[in-house]
Amino acid sequence: MHPTTGKSITMHVNSLWPEMATIVQGRSASTLMTVLATQPFAGWNVAERYSDGSHLTPAAVAAHVTAARTVVGILAQAHIDGALS
């Protein structure tokens, strides 16, 4: 839920990422703020899942996989810390 609007957040990660600093503002988000300083999904597009993948470079894929793993790790730690339920 968005803390300001109270609405469910339904965005693709490339659009959501720039908004995350606003969404987590005022929360215990010191870990997130470091990660949010970059935009690792800026080059991602939802249409890529329907493409043949020939335009994707190994470096772009590796960067997105690394960023996704970072996000999963942060979410897992937030659950452990009780910040998410």
Side-chain angles (χ1 to χ4, degrees), residues 28 35 38 52 66 77 80 82:
S28 301
V35 175
T38 64
D52 65 3
T66 298
Q77 190 60 51
I80 290 168

Side-chain angles (χ1 to χ4, degrees), residues 48 53 56-67:
E48 290 178 5
L56 299 173
T57 65
V61 172
H64 292 156
V65 168
T66 298

Side-chain angles (χ1 to χ4, degrees), residues 31-72:
T31 304
L32 283 176
M33 295 313 286
T34 303
V35 175
L36 294 174
T38 64
Q39 290 193 19
F41 298 105
W44 179 83
N45 186 306
V46 67
E48 290 178 5
R49 63 184 168 182
Y50 306 110
S51 73
D52 65 3
S54 61
H55 68 287
L56 299 173
T57 65
V61 172
H64 292 156
V65 168
T66 298
R69 287 182 176 149
T70 299
V71 170
V72 169

Side-chain angles (χ1 to χ4, degrees), residues 6-17:
K7 294 181 180 180
S8 180
I9 300 168
T10 55
M11 302 168 82
H12 292 290
V13 69
N14 59 325
S15 299
L16 177 63
W17 200 266

